[in-house]
Amino acid sequence: MTRLLIVSDAWHPQVNGVVRSLENVGNTLKRRGYEVRYLTPEPFWTLPLPTYPDIRVPLPSLRVVQDMIAGFAPDHIHIATEGPLGLAARTLCVAQSLAFTTSYHTRFPEYLAARLPVPVEWSYGYLRWFHAAASATMVPTPSVLKYLRRRFFRHLAVWSRGVDLSAFSPGPKAMFSGLPGPHLLYVGRVAVEKNIEAFLEIDHPGTKIVVGDGPERGALMQRFPNVVFTGQLTGAALRDAYRSADVFVFPSRTDTFGNVMLESMACGTPVAAYPVMGPVDVIGAGKGGALEEDLALAVRRALSIPRSEAIERSRGFTWEAAADQFARRLAPIRLQAMAAA
């Protein structure tokens, strides 16, 4: 049995695309006979992330990380995040000449610059150094790959994402019936880097609905009293929210993919977004939604897209295909040692 260790600073109780992607690809590989283990912050002390206390940063011990790796004896190591836990695993792999792969999920330099006066180039310098030691760095879309190549990252490969069609599927509208239409929906973290204000400020009839939680929720609720804030929804309630919306609005300019767009399209709801990396790859050429620099225009265009086209577009993204890409890029941990010999 092939043993795969996935190292990630991001894990439950966080609800985000990184955690969902790692779980889904891991579960898919388990069904194929892999033994998959996750090295996460759970065994370690954590501290709240400044400006975002719901996310906690692990304080890993190198000795404990080394013992956990040695105890599992993996055939492959994948380091999914560049935080303290990922850095500890990278340090040990480099010291022991063990090959490993990494993945690039988040435009962390832009996220950090939105909160603190840290130059973007400083952060990209760290990320280039971090990923340079990997046998391959997996990125979610071709547009992200091109972007990172321009920033002199190496050994890049696409690892796309999928959607669980058993969890997200078309159905009747069960929510928002008492609210004026059309119903414009956002789902995700309520945080500054998500650019939610751009959605809430557009001039468009109907009702704007925000599903999710985060540090900006209180301030946005005060600024936009006519917007419906539901808090975080999961399971059937989240599926019903997608089904009941007329358009899903994705205002982020910094996401590298946007799993929520696939979930919305799988439920039949077209997407309105900016023509930036992530949406340009997920939505495609007008199939699953509309891309415009004028977000209100994107909403108007998306309202005219048949729900059947959004569903069809979502079916081009499967976790089986994503797992194929992921597995092809994994490296045997002794690859570097063998090459050196």
XYZ file of all heavy atoms in Angstrom, residues 58-157:
798
model
N -0.171 27.204 14.161
C 0.469 26.193 15.011
C 1.889 26.583 15.398
O 2.568 27.324 14.685
C 0.476 24.948 14.119
C 0.516 25.496 12.733
C -0.298 26.768 12.762
N 2.322 26.062 16.541
C 3.693 26.229 17.014
C 4.322 24.838 17.083
O 4.421 24.237 18.158
C 3.705 26.906 18.388
C 3.038 28.287 18.464
C 3.001 28.781 19.899
C 3.772 29.278 17.575
N 4.755 24.298 15.939
C 5.202 22.901 15.910
C 6.601 22.721 16.475
O 7.453 23.613 16.388
C 5.174 22.565 14.421
C 5.446 23.875 13.743
C 4.785 24.915 14.599
N 6.820 21.563 17.047
C 8.154 21.146 17.484
C 8.783 20.312 16.372
O 8.163 19.366 15.871
C 8.038 20.315 18.763
O 9.159 19.475 18.928
N 10.028 20.656 15.987
C 10.706 19.876 14.948
C 10.833 18.420 15.360
O 10.697 17.518 14.535
C 12.091 20.470 14.671
C 12.185 21.602 13.655
C 13.616 22.090 13.558
C 11.689 21.150 12.284
N 11.108 18.176 16.635
C 11.268 16.791 17.101
C 9.963 16.015 16.940
O 9.960 14.875 16.470
C 11.716 16.796 18.573
C 11.801 15.398 19.199
C 12.794 14.498 18.471
N 14.132 15.022 18.562
C 14.974 14.800 19.586
N 14.587 14.056 20.610
N 16.180 15.307 19.571
N 8.864 16.641 17.316
C 7.572 15.962 17.201
C 7.231 15.708 15.735
O 6.777 14.622 15.359
C 6.468 16.781 17.883
C 5.086 16.178 17.606
C 6.706 16.860 19.384
N 7.457 16.705 14.868
C 7.193 16.528 13.441
C 8.057 15.409 12.880
O 7.577 14.553 12.120
C 7.434 17.847 12.675
C 7.315 17.627 11.173
C 6.447 18.919 13.133
N 9.329 15.386 13.262
C 10.226 14.331 12.782
C 9.750 12.960 13.242
O 9.743 11.997 12.455
C 11.644 14.586 13.281
C 12.656 13.550 12.798
C 14.076 13.914 13.193
O 14.294 14.826 13.972
N 15.044 13.200 12.642
N 9.340 12.855 14.498
C 8.867 11.571 15.019
C 7.590 11.114 14.303
O 7.411 9.919 14.020
C 8.610 11.668 16.524
C 9.900 11.785 17.335
O 10.988 11.520 16.768
O 9.814 12.158 18.515
N 6.710 12.063 13.987
C 5.472 11.702 13.314
C 5.737 11.243 11.885
O 5.110 10.289 11.405
C 4.511 12.893 13.340
C 4.023 13.246 14.739
S 2.935 14.701 14.795
C 1.429 13.995 14.140
N 6.668 11.903 11.208
C 7.021 11.469 9.858
C 7.666 10.089 9.888
O 7.312 9.189 9.124
C 7.956 12.500 9.190
C 7.214 13.820 8.950
C 8.501 11.950 7.871
C 8.094 14.937 8.412
N 8.626 9.914 10.802
C 9.324 8.630 10.890
C 8.368 7.504 11.289
O 8.473 6.377 10.786
C 10.473 8.732 11.894
N 7.430 7.797 12.177
C 6.493 6.767 12.623
C 5.562 6.293 11.526
O 5.175 5.121 11.491
N 5.225 7.187 10.606
C 4.342 6.809 9.504
C 5.111 6.184 8.345
O 4.584 5.342 7.617
C 3.577 8.048 9.017
C 2.588 7.773 7.923
C 1.668 6.728 8.009
C 2.565 8.566 6.788
C 0.752 6.486 6.995
C 1.655 8.333 5.766
C 0.747 7.293 5.865
N 6.371 6.577 8.184
C 7.231 6.089 7.100
C 6.559 6.234 5.738
O 6.316 5.248 5.032
C 7.629 4.632 7.351
N 6.263 7.475 5.318
C 5.525 7.661 4.063
C 6.368 7.354 2.836
O 7.600 7.462 2.861
C 5.151 9.149 4.110
C 6.247 9.775 4.914
C 6.600 8.757 5.964
N 5.694 6.995 1.764
C 6.350 6.875 0.462
C 6.408 8.227 -0.241
O 7.293 8.470 -1.061
C 5.575 5.888 -0.424
C 5.513 4.502 0.193
O 6.589 3.881 0.328
O 4.402 4.065 0.543
N 5.435 9.108 0.068
C 5.361 10.433 -0.530
C 5.019 11.441 0.558
O 4.217 11.137 1.456
C 4.290 10.513 -1.623
C 4.422 9.470 -2.686
N 5.358 9.535 -3.687
C 3.718 8.329 -2.890
C 5.227 8.481 -4.476
N 4.244 7.728 -4.010
N 5.588 12.636 0.449
C 5.259 13.737 1.353
C 4.813 14.911 0.504
O 5.507 15.336 -0.420
C 6.463 14.138 2.225
C 6.858 12.989 3.164
C 6.145 15.398 3.034
C 8.106 13.273 3.978
N 3.642 15.437 0.851
C 3.139 16.636 0.173
C 2.936 17.725 1.214
O 2.181 17.546 2.176
C 1.823 16.368 -0.551
C 1.295 17.580 -1.245
N 1.840 18.056 -2.424
C 0.300 18.459 -0.909
C 1.200 19.146 -2.795
N 0.267 19.413 -1.899
N 3.608 18.849 1.040
C 3.505 19.983 1.961
C 2.568 21.005 1.321
O 2.909 21.626 0.315
C 4.884 20.592 2.251
C 5.813 19.524 2.838
C 4.761 21.773 3.212
C 7.246 19.991 3.051
N 1.392 21.175 1.908
C 0.326 21.931 1.255
C 0.350 23.420 1.569
O -0.236 24.207 0.827
C -1.034 21.360 1.656
N 0.998 23.817 2.665
C 0.967 25.219 3.082
C 2.357 25.677 3.489
O 3.226 24.873 3.836
C 0.000 25.417 4.257
O 0.378 24.532 5.323
C -1.437 25.136 3.848
N 2.546 27.001 3.469
C 3.868 27.578 3.719
C 4.017 28.148 5.128
O 4.917 28.935 5.404
C 4.150 28.689 2.700
C 3.994 28.274 1.250
C 2.635 28.609 0.650
O 1.702 28.915 1.456
O 2.480 28.566 -0.586
N 3.110 27.767 6.040
C 3.146 28.264 7.410
C 4.152 27.529 8.278
O 4.993 26.769 7.780
N 4.087 27.722 9.589
C 5.079 27.116 10.493
C 5.175 25.601 10.390
O 6.271 25.040 10.433
C 4.588 27.546 11.880
C 3.824 28.801 11.634
C 3.166 28.628 10.311
N 4.040 24.920 10.234
C 4.074 23.462 10.143
C 4.655 23.018 8.812
O 5.477 22.091 8.748
C 2.662 22.903 10.334
C 2.526 21.387 10.456
C 3.449 20.825 11.517
C 1.068 21.028 10.764
N 4.253 23.673 7.732
C 4.847 23.369 6.438
C 6.333 23.651 6.424
O 7.124 22.886 5.845
N 6.747 24.734 7.068
C 8.163 25.085 7.126
C 8.949 24.050 7.914
O 10.079 23.683 7.529
C 8.320 26.469 7.758
C 9.751 27.003 7.875
C 10.411 27.109 6.510
C 9.748 28.356 8.586
N 8.377 23.544 9.007
C 9.052 22.509 9.789
C 9.249 21.245 8.958
O 10.335 20.644 8.957
C 8.245 22.198 11.048
N 8.202 20.834 8.234
C 8.315 19.637 7.389
C 9.332 19.867 6.277
O 10.139 18.971 5.959
C 6.950 19.278 6.811
N 9.328 21.040 5.666
C 10.303 21.358 4.608
C 11.721 21.287 5.149
O 12.622 20.725 4.516
C 10.025 22.752 4.045
C 10.997 23.194 2.947
C 10.908 24.689 2.721
N 11.727 25.116 1.590
C 13.035 25.322 1.638
N 13.708 25.107 2.782
N 13.693 25.729 0.556
N 11.942 21.856 6.322
C 13.278 21.862 6.932
C 13.796 20.446 7.130
O 14.950 20.137 6.807
C 13.226 22.601 8.285
O 12.819 23.959 8.061
C 14.582 22.580 8.968
N 12.929 19.563 7.635
C 13.344 18.186 7.880
C 13.596 17.439 6.580
O 14.553 16.663 6.469
C 12.276 17.468 8.711
C 12.137 17.965 10.157
C 10.868 17.434 10.790
C 13.360 17.551 10.980
N 12.748 17.659 5.571
C 12.942 16.977 4.295
C 14.252 17.398 3.640
O 15.012 16.555 3.127
C 11.767 17.272 3.361
S 10.233 16.427 3.783
N 14.536 18.680 3.642
C 15.780 19.167 3.047
C 16.989 18.629 3.807
O 17.975 18.180 3.197
C 15.790 20.709 3.007
C 17.163 21.230 2.597
C 14.725 21.224 2.052
N 16.917 18.626 5.132
C 18.046 18.143 5.944
C 18.320 16.671 5.708
O 19.470 16.224 5.776
C 17.757 18.406 7.421
N 17.273 15.890 5.417
C 17.424 14.446 5.244
C 17.424 14.028 3.777
O 17.386 12.836 3.475
C 16.299 13.723 5.993
C 16.306 13.979 7.493
C 15.116 13.373 8.202
O 14.580 12.343 7.776
N 14.683 13.991 9.285
N 17.479 15.001 2.872
C 17.485 14.730 1.426
C 16.284 13.897 0.989
O 16.401 12.970 0.184
C 18.789 14.036 1.009
O 19.896 14.875 1.252
N 15.127 14.247 1.526
C 13.886 13.574 1.155
C 13.140 14.435 0.139
O 12.952 15.637 0.350
C 12.995 13.363 2.376
C 13.580 12.544 3.532
C 12.575 12.435 4.666
C 14.022 11.167 3.054
N 12.733 13.842 -0.955
C 11.960 14.579 -1.942
C 10.544 14.822 -1.419
O 9.988 14.014 -0.675
C 11.907 13.809 -3.250
N 9.978 15.929 -1.835
C 8.605 16.261 -1.441
C 8.002 17.162 -2.502
O 8.702 17.764 -3.320
C 8.572 16.966 -0.075
C 9.323 18.275 -0.045
C 8.674 19.491 -0.236
C 10.698 18.292 0.180
C 9.368 20.692 -0.216
C 11.403 19.495 0.206
C 10.735 20.704 0.009
N 6.683 17.240 -2.500
C 5.977 18.180 -3.369
C 5.285 19.225 -2.499
O 5.083 19.021 -1.297
C 4.938 17.463 -4.246
O 4.063 16.672 -3.401
C 5.618 16.553 -5.254
N 4.927 20.334 -3.134
C 4.191 21.386 -2.440
C 2.999 21.795 -3.292
O 2.868 21.385 -4.447
C 5.079 22.622 -2.198
O 5.549 23.120 -3.457
C 6.270 22.282 -1.300
N 2.145 22.622 -2.720
C 1.059 23.212 -3.500
C 0.900 24.675 -3.114
O 1.222 25.084 -2.000
C -0.257 22.442 -3.316
O -0.552 22.202 -1.965
N 0.421 25.431 -4.085
C 0.204 26.870 -3.920
C -1.297 27.107 -3.991
O -1.904 26.961 -5.043
C 0.947 27.628 -5.028
C 0.785 29.130 -4.997
C 1.657 29.929 -4.276
C -0.237 29.748 -5.708
C 1.509 31.306 -4.252
C -0.392 31.125 -5.697
C 0.492 31.897 -4.964
O 0.356 33.262 -4.949
N -1.890 27.440 -2.847
C -3.341 27.590 -2.769
C -3.784 29.039 -2.707
O -4.882 29.373 -3.152
C -3.882 26.892 -1.509
C -3.694 25.426 -1.475
N -4.645 24.536 -1.931
C -2.657 24.669 -1.033
C -4.210 23.298 -1.765
N -3.001 23.353 -1.231
N -2.974 29.880 -2.088
C -3.437 31.198 -1.665
C -2.455 32.275 -2.094
O -1.244 32.098 -1.944
C -3.582 31.235 -0.126
O -4.446 30.181 0.289
C -4.135 32.558 0.343
N -2.982 33.382 -2.590
C -2.116 34.528 -2.902
C -1.824 35.271 -1.599
O -2.262 36.394 -1.358
C -2.787 35.420 -3.940
C -2.915 34.741 -5.292
C -3.609 35.602 -6.308
N -2.814 36.773 -6.688
C -3.220 37.694 -7.558
N -4.418 37.582 -8.120
N -2.462 38.716 -7.854
N -1.028 34.585 -0.775
C -0.727 35.096 0.561
C -0.107 36.492 0.535
O -0.441 37.326 1.400
C 0.193 34.102 1.280
C 0.631 34.551 2.649
C -0.253 34.528 3.719
C 1.927 35.010 2.860
C 0.147 34.960 4.974
C 2.328 35.436 4.112
C 1.440 35.411 5.168
N 0.803 36.814 -0.392
C 1.371 38.172 -0.387
C 0.312 39.258 -0.510
O 0.376 40.290 0.178
C 2.303 38.151 -1.605
C 2.726 36.731 -1.723
C 1.484 35.958 -1.377
N -0.677 39.037 -1.375
C -1.737 40.028 -1.520
C -2.640 40.062 -0.282
O -3.083 41.136 0.129
C -2.571 39.721 -2.763
C -1.888 40.053 -4.083
C -0.895 39.002 -4.542
O -0.753 37.963 -3.863
O -0.267 39.209 -5.587
N -2.900 38.891 0.311
C -3.706 38.849 1.523
C -3.015 39.612 2.646
O -3.634 40.374 3.380
C -3.922 37.395 1.958
C -4.952 36.637 1.172
C -5.372 37.062 -0.087
C -5.520 35.483 1.679
C -6.312 36.356 -0.810
C -6.469 34.763 0.962
C -6.854 35.206 -0.279
O -7.792 34.512 -0.994
N -1.697 39.373 2.804
C -0.948 40.028 3.880
C -0.893 41.533 3.660
O -1.071 42.320 4.597
C 0.465 39.443 3.936
C 1.369 39.933 5.078
C 0.754 39.592 6.426
C 2.756 39.310 4.956
N -0.669 41.941 2.412
C -0.583 43.373 2.111
C -1.908 44.084 2.353
O -1.922 45.292 2.624
C -0.128 43.579 0.669
N -3.011 43.353 2.258
C -4.322 43.959 2.519
C -4.521 44.256 3.994
O -5.372 45.076 4.358
C -5.439 43.034 2.029
N -3.726 43.610 4.854
C -3.878 43.785 6.294
C -2.727 44.553 6.933
O -2.934 45.289 7.909
C -3.986 42.412 6.968
C -5.272 41.673 6.682
C -5.291 40.345 7.431
N -6.625 39.779 7.468
C -7.143 39.023 6.511
N -6.428 38.751 5.440
N -8.359 38.555 6.616
N -1.512 44.349 6.408
C -0.317 44.925 7.026
C 0.562 45.572 5.961
O 0.531 45.164 4.799
C 0.472 43.831 7.756
C -0.247 43.098 8.899
C 0.566 41.893 9.339
C -0.510 44.046 10.065
N 1.380 46.560 6.346
C 2.253 47.228 5.359
C 3.491 46.392 5.019
O 4.628 46.793 5.268
C 2.623 48.538 6.063
C 2.584 48.197 7.514
C 1.457 47.202 7.677
N 3.252 45.216 4.443
C 4.342 44.319 4.050
C 4.411 44.298 2.528
O 3.426 43.899 1.871
C 4.117 42.900 4.589
C 5.242 41.969 4.132
C 4.019 42.906 6.109
N 5.534 44.703 1.930
C 5.627 44.711 0.456
C 5.366 43.328 -0.129
O 5.850 42.311 0.390
C 7.063 45.167 0.198
C 7.449 45.934 1.422
C 6.743 45.248 2.565
N 4.612 43.290 -1.209
C 4.276 42.031 -1.859
C 5.524 41.281 -2.279
O 5.594 40.042 -2.153
C 3.346 42.300 -3.060
C 3.219 41.068 -3.941
C 1.967 42.741 -2.582
N 6.549 41.976 -2.763
C 7.760 41.306 -3.243
C 8.493 40.580 -2.128
O 9.137 39.562 -2.371
C 8.685 42.309 -3.927
C 8.235 42.721 -5.317
C 8.061 41.515 -6.238
O 8.836 40.546 -6.133
O 7.135 41.551 -7.070
N 8.432 41.104 -0.908
C 9.059 40.398 0.209
C 8.408 39.027 0.398
O 9.099 38.012 0.561
C 8.931 41.200 1.491
C 9.742 42.462 1.524
C 10.451 43.023 0.493
C 9.910 43.328 2.652
N 11.048 44.187 0.893
C 10.740 44.399 2.217
C 9.443 43.321 3.962
C 11.109 45.443 3.074
C 9.803 44.359 4.812
C 10.627 45.394 4.371
N 7.083 39.032 0.396
C 6.370 37.773 0.611
C 6.612 36.798 -0.534
O 6.800 35.589 -0.311
C 4.865 38.051 0.746
O 4.613 38.920 1.834
N 6.629 37.293 -1.778
C 6.894 36.392 -2.904
C 8.324 35.856 -2.857
O 8.571 34.730 -3.302
C 6.613 37.089 -4.237
C 5.169 36.954 -4.655
C 4.335 38.064 -4.706
C 4.633 35.707 -4.990
C 2.996 37.924 -5.070
C 3.316 35.571 -5.353
C 2.494 36.686 -5.394
O 1.182 36.531 -5.755
N 9.250 36.638 -2.325
C 10.605 36.121 -2.161
C 10.641 34.918 -1.236
O 11.323 33.921 -1.517
N 9.897 34.999 -0.135
C 9.819 33.851 0.775
C 9.170 32.655 0.091
O 9.653 31.521 0.197
C 9.029 34.227 2.032
C 8.636 33.032 2.872
C 9.589 32.336 3.619
C 7.313 32.569 2.889
C 9.230 31.230 4.378
C 6.951 31.464 3.634
C 7.916 30.796 4.377
O 7.566 29.681 5.120
N 8.074 32.894 -0.637
C 7.380 31.783 -1.283
C 8.246 31.124 -2.356
O 8.237 29.890 -2.498
C 6.063 32.264 -1.887
C 5.000 32.740 -0.890
C 3.757 33.200 -1.625
C 4.650 31.641 0.104
N 8.995 31.925 -3.114
C 9.904 31.328 -4.116
C 10.922 30.429 -3.434
O 11.194 29.314 -3.896
C 10.625 32.431 -4.910
C 9.903 32.897 -6.142
C 10.793 33.736 -7.026
N 11.312 34.911 -6.324
C 10.690 36.075 -6.267
N 9.532 36.228 -6.881
N 11.219 37.089 -5.620
N 11.498 30.925 -2.349
C 12.480 30.114 -1.602
C 11.830 28.843 -1.068
O 12.396 27.752 -1.189
C 13.035 30.943 -0.436
C 13.851 30.120 0.521
C 15.159 29.769 0.399
C 13.371 29.522 1.740
N 15.537 28.986 1.479
C 14.460 28.819 2.310
C 12.142 29.520 2.404
C 14.353 28.132 3.502
C 12.030 28.824 3.589
C 13.132 28.132 4.125
N 10.632 28.956 -0.501
C 9.965 27.809 0.099
C 9.722 26.718 -0.939
O 10.032 25.546 -0.720
C 8.639 28.249 0.722
C 7.918 27.166 1.467
C 8.063 27.043 2.837
C 7.096 26.254 0.822
C 7.411 26.038 3.543
C 6.441 25.248 1.500
C 6.608 25.144 2.882
N 9.176 27.092 -2.086
C 8.772 26.104 -3.086
C 9.930 25.634 -3.966
O 9.802 24.598 -4.640
C 7.651 26.661 -3.959
C 6.356 26.855 -3.223
N 5.540 25.811 -2.859
C 5.755 27.985 -2.765
C 4.477 26.283 -2.216
N 4.583 27.597 -2.154
N 11.046 26.354 -3.969
C 12.156 25.999 -4.863
C 12.735 24.625 -4.560
O 13.268 23.956 -5.456
C 13.251 27.055 -4.777
N 12.619 24.173 -3.315
C 13.189 22.876 -2.944
C 12.287 21.703 -3.295
O 12.703 20.545 -3.186
C 13.489 22.860 -1.441
N 11.074 21.974 -3.728
C 10.120 20.899 -4.018
C 10.387 20.267 -5.377
O 10.842 20.932 -6.306
C 8.694 21.440 -3.978
N 10.070 18.990 -5.496
C 10.160 18.321 -6.798
C 9.142 18.886 -7.773
O 9.392 18.935 -8.981
C 9.940 16.816 -6.619
O 10.919 16.262 -5.771
N 7.996 19.285 -7.251
C 6.965 19.941 -8.060
C 6.109 20.786 -7.135
O 5.867 20.410 -5.979
C 6.094 18.929 -8.796
N 5.664 21.928 -7.649
C 4.714 22.773 -6.930
C 3.408 22.760 -7.708
O 3.364 23.166 -8.872
C 5.238 24.210 -6.794
O 6.421 24.204 -5.995
C 4.197 25.111 -6.136
N 2.352 22.265 -7.075
C 1.064 22.112 -7.746
C 0.239 23.370 -7.566
O 0.089 23.884 -6.446
C 0.323 20.907 -7.173
C 1.121 19.616 -7.235
S 0.137 18.217 -6.671
C 1.437 17.046 -6.237
N -0.316 23.878 -8.673
C -1.119 25.103 -8.663
C -2.494 24.788 -9.239
O -2.647 23.854 -10.032
C -0.434 26.227 -9.461
C 0.960 26.509 -8.896
C -0.321 25.867 -10.942
N -3.528 25.555 -8.859
C -4.891 25.119 -9.196
C -5.349 25.360 -10.623
O -6.280 24.693 -11.074
C -5.760 25.919 -8.212
C -4.941 27.105 -7.863
C -3.524 26.654 -7.888
N -4.729 26.311 -11.348
C -5.219 26.628 -12.689
C -4.061 27.005 -13.609
O -2.989 27.403 -13.152
C -6.206 27.813 -12.667
O -5.498 29.003 -12.291
C -7.352 27.573 -11.706
N -4.274 26.937 -14.922
C -3.248 27.397 -15.860
C -2.912 28.876 -15.702
O -1.756 29.269 -15.893
C -3.878 27.118 -17.231
C -4.825 25.991 -16.989
C -5.386 26.245 -15.620
N -3.888 29.710 -15.359
C -3.585 31.138 -15.215
C -2.694 31.398 -14.009
O -1.834 32.282 -14.050
C -4.876 31.958 -15.135
O -5.644 31.594 -14.013
N -2.872 30.636 -12.938
C -1.975 30.776 -11.786
C -0.571 30.309 -12.155
O 0.431 30.920 -11.766
C -2.516 29.988 -10.574
C -1.516 30.009 -9.422
C -3.845 30.569 -10.110
N -0.490 29.229 -12.909
C 0.819 28.738 -13.351
C 1.564 29.816 -14.140
O 2.751 30.077 -13.901
C 0.635 27.468 -14.173
C 1.918 26.735 -14.595
C 1.679 25.227 -14.628
C 2.385 27.187 -15.979
N 0.886 30.450 -15.087
C 1.523 31.510 -15.877
C 1.947 32.672 -15.004
O 3.029 33.254 -15.185
C 0.565 31.988 -16.968
C 0.279 30.952 -18.042
C -0.748 31.473 -19.033
C -1.100 30.403 -20.068
N -2.168 30.882 -20.999
N 1.112 33.019 -14.039
C 1.423 34.139 -13.138
C 2.678 33.852 -12.322
O 3.553 34.711 -12.182
C 0.224 34.379 -12.220
C 0.424 35.480 -11.206
C 0.314 36.815 -11.574
C 0.715 35.181 -9.876
C 0.488 37.828 -10.647
C 0.884 36.185 -8.943
C 0.771 37.503 -9.327
O 0.955 38.501 -8.403
N 2.774 32.641 -11.784
C 3.932 32.306 -10.958
C 5.196 32.150 -11.803
O 6.297 32.450 -11.333
C 3.658 31.033 -10.160
C 2.601 31.164 -9.059
C 2.423 29.834 -8.337
C 2.951 32.264 -8.065
N 5.052 31.692 -13.022
C 6.229 31.640 -13.904
C 6.804 33.034 -14.128
O 8.025 33.212 -14.168
C 5.860 31.001 -15.237
C 5.916 29.493 -15.221
C 5.596 28.921 -16.593
N 5.717 27.474 -16.598
C 5.234 26.689 -17.540
N 4.577 27.225 -18.578
N 5.377 25.374 -17.476
N 5.920 34.003 -14.249
C 6.400 35.382 -14.422
C 7.101 35.884 -13.171
O 7.913 36.812 -13.257
C 5.230 36.304 -14.777
C 4.646 36.063 -16.168
C 3.799 37.235 -16.628
N 2.651 37.460 -15.767
C 1.452 36.915 -15.956
N 1.254 36.084 -16.979
N 0.451 37.173 -15.144
N 6.818 35.261 -12.049
C 7.496 35.606 -10.799
C 8.641 34.642 -10.495
O 9.122 34.568 -9.370
C 6.491 35.647 -9.641
C 5.541 36.845 -9.730
C 4.733 37.013 -8.474
N 3.978 38.261 -8.474
C 4.456 39.436 -8.091
N 5.704 39.518 -7.645
N 3.699 40.517 -8.111
N 9.040 33.876 -11.501
C 10.247 33.039 -11.458
C 10.131 31.840 -10.523
O 11.130 31.355 -9.993
C 11.481 33.872 -11.095
C 11.680 35.054 -11.999
C 11.395 36.337 -11.546
C 12.099 34.886 -13.310
C 11.546 37.429 -12.389
C 12.257 35.972 -14.156
C 11.981 37.249 -13.693
N 8.916 31.324 -10.340
C 8.752 30.033 -9.666
C 9.073 28.926 -10.673
O 8.867 29.081 -11.879
C 7.311 29.866 -9.166
C 6.978 30.659 -7.926
C 6.953 32.041 -7.949
C 6.685 30.011 -6.743
C 6.637 32.783 -6.817
C 6.362 30.736 -5.594
C 6.348 32.122 -5.638
N 9.544 27.781 -10.155
C 9.957 26.672 -11.028
C 9.186 25.404 -10.685
O 8.523 25.314 -9.670
C 11.455 26.426 -10.875
C 12.335 27.616 -11.248
C 13.803 27.278 -11.031
N 14.061 26.970 -9.617
C 15.039 26.172 -9.188
N 15.818 25.548 -10.063
N 15.230 25.976 -7.900
N 9.298 24.408 -11.579
C 8.738 23.064 -11.352
C 7.235 23.135 -11.061
O 6.729 22.470 -10.152
C 9.454 22.351 -10.208
C 10.938 22.404 -10.271
N 11.654 21.976 -11.371
C 11.863 22.866 -9.377
C 12.945 22.147 -11.144
N 13.100 22.701 -9.967
N 6.514 23.906 -11.849
C 5.083 24.099 -11.627
C 4.260 23.079 -12.409
O 4.624 22.687 -13.514
C 4.666 25.512 -12.042
C 5.373 26.666 -11.330
C 4.988 27.998 -11.966
C 5.044 26.668 -9.840
N 3.148 22.668 -11.826
C 2.228 21.739 -12.489
C 0.817 22.036 -12.024
O 0.599 22.464 -10.882
C 2.596 20.292 -12.150
